[in-house]
């Protein structure tokens, strides 16, 4: 754990493999997780309407098992947002949101 889900507009102009690898590496660098448990994936959205005047977007969802402190989640959010800012121009809307998974209903094999 965690599951890192990078959502982005399909029209985003950047090296998407590098973006995915950079986000994965930044998650490792927080030292909040066992490297072997981090799962990172990317989803492109064919359509989006952005009210901010931005041309494209990247939103990162971080699904976590409960137990991380608010401070740890802030460190993670800030690290991932900083990575996005270093890779993408100001014309891209950027956001990061960690979510706690409910252990009563979360299942995996």
């Amino acid at each position: 754990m965690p599951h890192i889900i990078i959502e982005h507009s399909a029209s985003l102009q950047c090296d998407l493999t590098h973006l995915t690898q950079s986000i994965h590496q930044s998650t490792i660098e927080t030292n909040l997780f066992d490297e072997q448990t981090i799962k990172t994936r990317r989803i492109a959205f064919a359509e989006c309407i952005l009210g901010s005047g931005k041309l494209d977007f990247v939103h990162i969802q971080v699904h976590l098992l409960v137990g991380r402190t608010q401070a740890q989640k802030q460190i993670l959010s800030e690290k991932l947002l900083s990575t996005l800012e270093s890779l993408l121009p100001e014309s891209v809307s950027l956001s990061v949101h960690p979510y706690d998974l409910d252990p009563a209903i979360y299942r995996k094999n």
Side-chain angles (χ1 to χ4, degrees), residues 19-54:
L19 173 70
T20 305
Q21 291 170 342
S22 296
I23 292 300
H24 189 87
Q25 183 60 41
S26 290
T27 304
I28 292 167
E29 290 171 4
T30 66
N31 295 313
L32 295 172
F33 311 101
D34 175 355
E35 182 177 342
Q36 300 303 313
T37 65
I38 301 169
K39 299 162 189 76
T40 306
R41 55 191 176 269
R42 184 172 34 82
I43 303 169
F45 288 85
E47 291 186 47
C48 66
I49 299 171
L50 303 172
S52 63
K54 302 283 184 168

Side-chain angles (χ1 to χ4, degrees), residues 64-79:
L64 303 164
L65 290 175
V66 294
R68 304 283 177 213
T69 67
Q70 194 74 3
Q72 289 172 319
K73 292 176 199 175
Q74 288 173 331
I75 289 167
L76 177 62
S77 291
E78 290 168 8
K79 176 71 171 174

